[in-house]
Amino acid sequence: MDSVTVSIESLQEFQVQEVSLDGQETYTKPLSMSESLAKLAHKIDFTKPEGEEIDGALADEDKDTKKADVKEESPAVQAVQWPWESVHSKLRCALTEISVLSDILHICRWAKDPRYMVLDPVSQEPTQSKQIIQLLDKKKSLGVAASVLKSGANRMMRQPLNATTASPQKSQHQNDFHADLLRLRQHWRLKKVGSNILGDLSFRTAGSRFWHNGTFEVTKITDVDCDATEKKNVTPLKVTIPSDIEGTSHIQVLIQEGEAEIATASLSQPSRSRVSADAHWQERLEAAQTVLFCKEVFAQIAREAVQLRSPVPHIVVGNQIFCTLFPGVRLCLALCHNTSMDSQVGTQSYRTGLKCRYHLGYQSTSSFDFRLGIEPLRQPNHSHALEHSLHQLLRELHRSNLSGTTPRPITASLTVSKKRRLAGPQAISRKELTDSQQGECLLEKVLKQAKHIVLRKRVADVINQLSSDLQDPVILVHWSAHTQPLVSTAKIHISTSGYEQMAMILLQLTVEVDQIRVLCKDGRVIHANYEQQQLKDLLRCQISQHQIACVFSLSKSMNMHVLHYNLHLGVGSASKLGNASSVLISTHHGQRTLAVRSDPLNGIRVQVKGCKNPHDTEQKSNVVTDPKWETIMTDYREVDMDRIPGRTFVNKMELLMAVLAS
C-alpha cells in the first residue's frame, strides 16, 4: 500500500478556556519560555532511580506485544532518550558528591577519635615577594587616606570661627549648594532645561513686552580657592549673568531752563549703587534686574519720542532724549550704564562725566552734564515725585498689558471697554468716542508731570520774589501737602501787619499742567498761562485792592464818612495794568475830605481837601461865619506819605485820619 503524506495543523492558536452561554469563546494565552521551563522543571521527580523515567515513557506502549518483539526493539528504545535525562543525571551526580563531602567534614570535625580520618594542610611552594611592589601599594593606600583627611580639614577650615555659637542648622547649610539653591528659588524664578538650571530676571509675568529675556544660569563651584574661603560671602552657587545687563544702571532726568537746573530725578536703586565682582548672588541679581528695568523704561520712552508728534520735534541721540516743555525749558533723559565691576574705575568715570552738545533753533548751544558713574548724583533740587512717577508709570503699563476689561457677557469672545459698550445707550458722538480710545503714552505722562513741576516752581518763585520785594503788605503762602501728580493747590493770604482783622485777601491757586487757575474771595475765577508776568500782574492788582480795602475798613472804625468806594475806578487816567481803585472819605464834622487812589504800577496817591495853607493871608469874611463854608473853594492837595511816621501804609493812614478828625 502506498504511503500518503498527511499534514496536521492546529486548528487554533490558543486553547479554549470557556464558552459562555451566548456562544462567546474565551481563550488562554500560551506560556512564555520562562513559564514553560518552570512547568517542565516541576514535572521532574529527583527521588526516582535513573531508569524509571525511561520506563515511564514506554508505559503507554501496547502491553499485548510479545517479549520477543520487545527484545528486538530494545536497541531502538534505548536510542530514544528522555529530553531531561542529561540534566537529571548531572544533578544527581552533584548531589551525591555534596553528600559525600558533607559526611567527610562531619567525621573530621565532630569525631572524637582521630584514627579514622584527619585533615592535613597541603604544603605549597613559597612565592617570592617583591618589596618594590609592596612599597608602591602602601604608598598608594597612604595617598588615598591623606587626600581624604585633607579634604575634611579644608571643609573644617572653611567654616566660620563662630560656627560653634551659631545654630546647627545655619552652620550646616551655610556653604551647601542645595540650601543656596533653595533660597534662590524662593526669590527668583528657576527652571531646569536639560542638565542646566536657568533663571528669569524679566518682568514678563508682570505684563512686560520687552525683547530681552533676562535669562541667567546657575552652576555649582567645584573647586573653591582657599583664599576665597576666608571671605564672608563664600557660596558654592555661581550665577552667570548676561554681559549686557551686568553691572549698575540708572536713568538721569534733568529739567533745565537756560543754564539753570529746575529739577532733577534719578531712576535707580540706592541700595545697589555699587556691586563688586565678588558680591553675593542676591546683590548681583538685584542690580541686573535694575539694569533691565532702566533699559525697558528708556526703550519705551525713546520709541514713543520718535512716534509722538509735537510742535518742537523730540530728539533721540544714542542713550539721550531731549524734549521741549516750554519756550526755553527742556527735559533731558539719559540712560547711564556702567559695566565695570571695579569701584575705582566707576568712581573715576563718575567724576569725569559726559558732555553732550545740543542745539535748538530758538536758543544757543548749551551743554548738559550726565554723570555716568556707579552712583547717581543727588542734588538739592531732586524731585522725588518725578522719580516715583517713573517707577509707577511703567508698572501701570505692565498692569494694563496683563489685565484687560471683563467681557460682557462673560461668554463673549471679544472684550469691549465699558465706554464703547455704553456708547449706544448714552448717544456718545463719534468724536467723543474717538477721543476716549486714544490713551496717553508713557512719554506724554512724563512730559505732563515735568511741565507741572516747572509751572509750580515758577509760581513759588514769583510769590517769593514779591514777598521779599514788598515789605507792606505781608504775603503768606500755604502749599497743600495732599497733591496729585498733575495738580497742586496753594492758598495766599495778603494782610497788613497789625491790622489783620480789618481786611485780608484770600486767593486759592490751582497749578495744573500748563495753566494756573486763581479763585478770588468774591468767587471770580481767573486763568493764567505759564508766563510768570501774568501771575505777577495779578498779585500786584490784588495788593493794590487790598490797600484800598484796608483804608475803607479803617475809616469805619474811626467814625468817618465814606463818600465813595470803588475797586474798579473808571475815571481819571487809565491804568496800564488792571484797574485803579479809590476811596473818598470825609471827617465826622465834614470840614475835611480824604481821597486815596491806588494804581498797581504807579502806587498809592493820597490827597486832602479842606486844610488851609498856614502861609495864606486871606482875610476872613464878616458875613460868612460858619467854618464849613471856608473849604468849598479849596483844591485837593497831595500828601507826602514818606514824611508821615509809621511802619506800614495803614499805620500812616490811621495817624493822618486822626489828625484830620481833630
Side-chain angles (χ1 to χ4, degrees):
M1 184 177 179
D2 297 336
S3 61
V4 179
T5 304
V6 179
S7 60
I8 301 174
E9 297 180 358
S10 59
L11 298 179
Q12 57 187 3
E13 184 178 359
F14 302 148
Q15 296 181 359
V16 178
Q17 180 181 1
E18 182 184 1
V19 179
S20 59
L21 297 177
D22 56 355
Q24 185 177 1
E25 298 178 353
T26 304
Y27 302 102
T28 59
K29 295 182 180 180
L31 300 177
S32 60
M33 295 295 293
S34 59
E35 293 176 350
S36 301
L37 180 61
K39 182 178 180 181
L40 295 176
H42 279 295
K43 294 181 179 181
I44 301 175
D45 189 3
F46 295 98
T47 59
K48 293 182 179 181
E50 187 175 355
E52 291 183 3
E53 286 80 359
I54 302 175
D55 296 339
L58 301 177
D60 295 336
E61 295 183 359
D62 191 4
K63 296 181 179 180
D64 298 333
T65 56
K66 296 180 180 180
K67 295 181 179 180
D69 297 337
V70 174
K71 292 181 180 179
E72 292 178 359
E73 295 177 0
S74 59
V77 174
Q78 293 179 359
V80 179
Q81 296 181 355
W82 185 44
W84 294 92
E85 182 180 1
S86 59
V87 177
H88 178 267
S89 60
K90 290 180 180 180
L91 290 177
R92 287 191 63 84
C93 293
L95 180 60
T96 304
E97 293 178 0
I98 291 175
S99 301
V100 173
L101 181 60
S102 176
D103 295 339
I104 293 174
L105 293 176
H106 183 74
I107 294 172
C108 294
R109 184 176 181 181
W110 301 103
K112 297 181 179 179
D113 193 358
R115 292 177 298 175
Y116 301 103
M117 188 174 295
V118 177
L119 297 177
D120 292 334
V122 178
S123 61
Q124 297 180 358
E125 297 181 358
T127 57
Q128 297 180 359
S129 60
K130 297 182 180 180
Q131 297 181 357
I132 299 176
I133 298 176
Q134 295 179 359
L135 182 61
L136 293 176
D137 191 12
K138 292 180 179 179
K139 184 178 180 181
K140 184 178 180 181
S141 301
L142 291 175
V144 174
S147 62
V148 174
L149 294 175
K150 186 177 180 180
S151 61
N154 291 335
R155 287 196 300 269
M156 295 176 63
M157 291 175 62
R158 284 196 293 267
Q159 294 180 356
L161 297 177
N162 56 353
T164 57
T165 60
S167 60
Q169 184 178 3
K170 183 177 179 181
S171 60
Q172 180 181 1
H173 298 291
Q174 185 173 6
N175 294 328
D176 189 5
F177 171 75
H178 298 285
D180 288 345
L181 188 62
L182 178 61
R183 287 191 291 268
L184 180 65
R185 180 65 182 85
Q186 293 174 355
H187 296 86
W188 305 94
R189 295 187 300 273
L190 298 178
K191 62 179 179 179
K192 190 171 183 181
V193 180
S195 60
N196 300 327
I197 300 176
L198 302 180
D200 188 10
L201 291 173
S202 64
F203 299 91
R204 295 185 183 275
T205 56
S208 174
R209 298 177 181 177
F210 193 48
W211 61 269
H212 201 287
N213 52 10
T215 304
F216 65 92
E217 185 178 2
V218 181
T219 55
K220 181 180 180 181
I221 302 177
T222 56
D223 299 334
V224 181
D225 192 3
C226 295
D227 297 336
T229 56
E230 299 178 358
K231 299 182 180 180
K232 296 182 180 180
N233 296 330
V234 175
T235 173
L237 189 143
K238 180 182 178 182
V239 175
T240 304
I241 302 174
S243 59
D244 54 346
I245 61 174
E246 192 172 8
T248 57
S249 178
H250 66 275
I251 294 180
Q252 191 73 26
V253 183
L254 176 65
I255 302 176
Q256 197 172 31
E257 183 175 6
E259 297 295 335
E261 296 180 359
I262 298 178
T264 60
S266 177
L267 180 61
S268 62
Q269 189 176 6
S271 60
R272 297 288 178 265
S273 58
R274 294 185 181 182
V275 179
S276 58
D278 54 350
H280 195 262
W281 49 263
Q282 182 69 17
E283 298 180 4
R284 295 182 59 199
L285 290 178
E286 289 181 0
Q289 194 174 44
T290 304
V291 173
L292 190 62
F293 183 80
C294 293
K295 284 192 172 184
E296 182 175 0
V297 172
F298 188 82
Q300 180 71 19
I301 295 177
R303 181 169 58 253
E304 294 173 355
V306 176
Q307 299 175 355
L308 191 63
R309 295 181 180 180
S310 62
V312 179
H314 307 305
I315 299 178
V316 180
V317 181
N319 61 339
Q320 299 174 10
I321 302 174
F322 302 96
C323 304
T324 302
L325 302 178
F326 299 116
V329 182
R330 51 190 172 273
L331 173 69
C332 311
L333 296 94
L335 174 64
C336 308
H337 185 201
N338 191 342
T339 57
S340 176
M341 305 301 291
D342 191 1
S343 60
Q344 296 181 357
V345 176
T347 305
Q348 183 178 2
S349 63
Y350 169 73
R351 293 176 180 176
T352 303
L354 176 64
K355 297 288 185 178
C356 303
R357 310 294 295 181
Y358 170 56
H359 178 71
L360 289 175
Y362 59 87
Q363 201 170 16
S364 60
T365 306
S366 59
S367 61
F368 301 92
D369 185 8
F370 293 105
R371 306 186 180 275
L372 302 181
I374 296 179
E375 186 176 359
L377 184 62
R378 295 285 183 178
Q379 296 184 359
N381 55 356
H382 180 78
S383 177
H384 296 279
L386 184 59
E387 178 183 355
H388 179 266
S389 298
L390 289 175
H391 282 280
Q392 187 180 10
L393 290 177
L394 186 61
R395 299 282 195 267
E396 292 178 355
L397 180 62
H398 290 172
R399 182 177 178 275
S400 62
N401 295 335
L402 189 62
S403 58
T405 309
T406 305
R408 293 290 189 278
I410 199 63
T411 57
S413 58
L414 298 178
T415 302
V416 182
S417 63
K418 184 178 180 180
K419 189 74 174 179
R420 295 182 59 186
R421 191 170 62 251
L422 299 178
Q426 295 181 356
I428 298 177
S429 63
R430 180 180 179 182
K431 184 178 182 303
E432 294 177 352
L433 184 61
T434 305
D435 295 340
S436 64
Q437 298 299 321
Q438 294 178 357
E440 294 181 347
C441 60
L442 184 62
L443 180 59
E444 290 178 340
K445 296 179 180 179
V446 174
L447 292 179
K448 283 188 175 181
Q449 294 190 15
K451 288 182 178 180
H452 174 70
I453 292 174
V454 173
L455 195 56
R456 177 174 175 171
K457 179 69 166 49
R458 289 185 174 183
V459 171
D461 292 343
V462 169
I463 297 175
N464 294 335
Q465 183 181 1
L466 282 178
S467 61
S468 61
D469 295 343
L470 301 177
Q471 301 297 332
D472 179 34
V474 179
I475 301 176
L476 299 178
V477 59
H478 300 278
W479 289 94
S480 176
H482 301 281
T483 60
Q484 298 179 2
L486 302 179
V487 178
S488 298
T489 57
K491 285 187 177 181
I492 299 178
H493 299 262
I494 302 176
S495 61
T496 303
S497 179
Y499 300 89
E500 290 84 358
Q501 301 299 329
M502 288 189 176
M504 178 183 292
I505 290 184
L506 299 178
L507 300 176
Q508 182 175 357
L509 272 68
T510 303
V511 183
E512 299 178 354
V513 177
D514 50 3
Q515 69 173 356
I516 304 170
R517 189 172 69 252
V518 183
L519 178 62
C520 301
K521 189 176 181 179
D522 55 355
R524 293 181 297 117
V525 179
I526 303 174
H527 295 274
N529 58 8
Y530 56 86
E531 294 291 341
Q532 295 180 348
Q533 190 63 35
Q534 289 192 7
L535 181 61
K536 186 181 298 185
D537 296 343
L538 175 62
L539 293 178
R540 286 185 180 276
C541 293
Q542 296 296 325
I543 291 172
S544 175
Q545 294 179 6
H546 167 72
Q547 300 288 20
I548 300 299
C550 288
V551 174
F552 175 74
S553 301
L554 182 63
S555 63
K556 285 186 175 181
S557 63
M558 296 186 68
N559 196 18
M560 300 185 74
H561 302 287
V562 179
L563 303 178
H564 177 75
Y565 173 65
N566 191 357
L567 295 179
H568 303 281
L569 189 61
V571 296
S573 60
S575 177
K576 296 182 179 179
L577 176 62
N579 295 324
S581 55
S582 65
V583 61
L584 186 63
I585 306 170
S586 67
T587 58
H588 63 282
H589 48 71
Q591 295 180 2
R592 297 176 180 87
T593 305
L594 180 64
V596 182
R597 177 187 173 94
S598 178
D599 189 271
L601 289 181
N602 300 326
I604 302 175
R605 294 181 59 187
V606 180
Q607 294 179 352
V608 178
K609 181 181 180 181
C611 295
K612 290 184 177 181
N613 191 355
H615 302 285
D616 192 4
T617 59
E618 184 180 357
Q619 296 180 359
K620 296 183 179 181
S621 176
N622 296 326
V623 179
V624 181
T625 59
D626 194 354
K628 67 178 181 180
W629 301 108
E630 296 179 0
T631 60
I632 293 178
M633 301 303 296
T634 58
D635 297 332
Y636 282 94
R637 300 172 60 187
E638 188 171 356
V639 180
D640 189 2
M641 299 299 295
D642 295 337
R643 300 178 61 180
I644 300 178
R647 295 192 310 172
T648 61
F649 170 75
V650 181
N651 192 4
K652 294 179 181 181
M653 290 299 298
E654 183 181 6
L655 183 59
L656 179 60
M657 289 180 184
V659 172
L660 295 177
S662 60

